[in-house]
Amino acid sequence: MSTMGDGTRAVRAGLPEPQQYEPTLPGPVFAAHFHLSGEPTGPYTYGRDTNPTWTHLERAIGELEAPGENVETTVFASGMAAVSAVLLSQVRTGDAVVLPHDGYQALPLVRAQLEAYGVEVRTAPTGGDAQLALLEGARLLWIETPSNPGLDVCDVRRLVEAAHAGGTLVAVDNTLATPLGQRPLELGADFSVASDTKGMTGHGDILLGHVTCRDSELAAGVRRWRKVVGAIPGPMEAWLAHRSLATLELRIERQCANALLLAETLAKHPEVSGLRYPGLPADASYPNAVRQMRRFGSVVSFVLADRDTAERFLSALRLAEDATSFGGVRSTAERRARWGGDAVPEGFIRFSVGAENAADLVTDVERALAEAVTGS
């Protein structure tokens, strides 16, 4: 399927060979154990280790991450389970890890755990490829691009080349872009990691994550970690996720187009500052993004005057829910500073653009901005 378009690939990814009178996508398998006489040599033995529903989903994600290639995917109960699996399965006491200091707000929790285990953690911003300066002797480089919520983009190929030259593994958090926007393995990364809670499943009703890699030994370490900690997805969640992948290209195309239009609109608004969207030619991230991304994501960030203005804006929106997370078909927006974990101004807005009609969404945002600025 390597030569097929994204839409075709998405609707067919991971489907088993057709069987007469069987469904195209088999239903979820709810089983803690399987028939297992004699030696346990089959693929399914115990529900914490393997499950046919996971297998279909893992094959589907692998086909999207690296079309036509032999890769291994492991699915997890959440994005943070996937993140933790890579970091904690690959490093040991005395190792050094390079993280972005402007990444997802739960990364500091992982940092604290790594340091408690005796791992040295170095941090630098995503922008400007600043992590390059910290690679010497590191076991693993963790990249998040575009970064969340700042939307900086680093040059993955450049970082990978430098890291591999020194024997450093590279993992890329690809949550914001999804495989339809960016393929980290094609850019040379060892691990492509994502929270599939976001754009991959796209409906805000599933917690899920995955790790994909080419190297079977690295994949075995990740899979063993899942078994040890039991961070497994439920079969229903895995089945729903696989079903959701069929609309991935439709959703991502619409959301990215809407996000660009919204960003272009916000760029003209006098009360908006600090606008970021990697797909805007004027954005600082654009030169890197246009070289390595095929689509620029559904998230736009910007800053309003202060906390009160931002809260009025969010309250005035009718087509965007005031909620965290991103990547869903329904637009959401939040004042990110309310969590306290990101170095952003009090009026910083992270806007996750959904699949609504673009004109309706732009009209709603323009009206909400007008009400927020006037205080009426």
Side-chain angles (χ1 to χ4, degrees):
M1 298 208 324
S2 59
T3 60
M4 292 183 180
D6 287 339
T8 304
R9 188 177 299 111
V11 300
R12 302 204 60 81
L15 298 181
E17 288 297 316
Q19 297 292 328
Q20 187 77 342
Y21 310 120
E22 293 294 322
T24 302
L25 176 61
V29 175
F30 299 96
H33 60 266
F34 302 82
H35 290 293
L36 196 64
S37 58
E39 295 299 318
T41 57
Y44 305 110
T45 58
Y46 184 63
R48 190 184 67 250
D49 300 342
T50 51
N51 178 289
T53 309
W54 303 350
T55 299
H56 294 142
L57 175 60
E58 289 171 342
R59 289 173 180 166
I61 293 174
E63 290 170 16
L64 297 174
E65 286 276 13
E69 296 190 42
N70 184 26
V71 297
E72 294 187 38
T73 296
T74 305
V75 291
F76 289 86
S78 70
M80 280 308 298
V83 170
S84 301
V86 173
L87 287 165
L88 297 175
S89 71
Q90 300 301 320
V91 302
R92 302 290 183 269
T93 299
D95 286 343
V97 172
V98 180
L99 302 179
H101 74 49
D102 55 345
Y104 180 54
Q105 68 169 194
L107 275 182
L109 301 177
V110 179
R111 174 180 183 170
Q113 191 62 61
L114 289 168
E115 290 175 335
Y117 289 155
V119 175
E120 178 191 352
V121 180
R122 309 166 186 168
T123 63
T126 299
D129 300 338
Q131 291 172 296
L132 281 171
L134 305 179
L135 291 178
E136 186 175 356
R139 166 65 177 168
L140 178 70
L141 166 64
W142 187 272
I143 297 171
E144 185 179 304
T145 181
S147 60
N148 172 31
L151 302 182
D152 276 318
V153 174
C154 59
D155 187 334
V156 175
R157 289 187 183 91
R158 182 187 183 200
L159 285 162
V160 166
E161 182 178 351
H164 284 174
T168 301
L169 295 170
V170 181
V172 176
D173 184 334
N174 200 42
T175 300
L176 198 145
T178 80
L180 267 61
Q182 181 173 261
R183 293 184 184 140
L185 299 184
E186 290 185 357
L187 299 173
D190 300 289
F191 303 91
S192 180
V193 188
S195 168
D196 301 318
T197 307
K198 314 297 195 299
M200 282 286 276
T201 56
H203 292 78
D205 53 8
I206 301 171
L207 289 173
L208 202 77
H210 81 266
V211 177
T212 301
C213 47
R214 288 193 180 94
D215 188 292
S216 59
E217 186 175 342
L218 295 178
V222 169
R223 199 170 291 266
R224 179 179 180 276
W225 183 262
R226 181 181 68 180
K227 177 177 179 177
V228 169
V229 300
I232 60 173
M236 190 66 191
E237 285 77 7
W239 184 84
L240 286 169
H242 197 167
R243 185 194 66 168
S244 297
L245 289 181
T247 61
L248 179 61
E249 194 253 4
L250 296 171
R251 292 185 279 107
I252 295 299
E253 279 288 315
R254 178 67 166 262
Q255 290 171 252
C256 289
N258 283 358
L260 179 59
L261 181 59
L262 179 61
E264 291 170 342
T265 301
L266 292 169
K268 303 170 186 175
H269 200 286
E271 302 298 328
V272 170
S273 63
L275 174 68
R276 298 302 305 273
Y277 183 65
L280 282 176
D283 190 275
S285 291
Y286 184 79
N288 278 335
V290 76
R291 285 196 301 269
Q292 67 192 28
M293 299 182 72
R294 297 156 59 235
R295 297 172 177 87
F296 301 109
S298 62
V299 178
V300 178
S301 67
F302 56 96
V303 180
L304 298 179
D306 49 36
R307 174 176 180 161
D308 289 343
T309 304
E311 293 289 0
R312 287 196 298 270
F313 168 71
L314 294 170
S315 297
L317 289 170
R318 295 170 185 164
L319 296 181
E321 301 161 357
D322 191 345
T324 194
S325 199
F326 58 85
V329 290
R330 291 177 291 277
S331 291
T332 61
E334 71 170 333
R335 192 179 66 82
R336 193 63 187 165
R338 65 181 177 172
W339 297 100
D342 298 307
V344 295
E346 287 294 321
F348 182 98
I349 300 292
R350 185 181 72 180
F351 201 109
S352 172
V353 183
E356 298 88 358
N357 287 111
D360 295 336
L361 189 59
V362 167
T363 297
D364 189 48
V365 169
E366 289 180 323
R367 179 194 49 75
L369 281 171
E371 291 184 18
V373 171
T374 62
S376 58

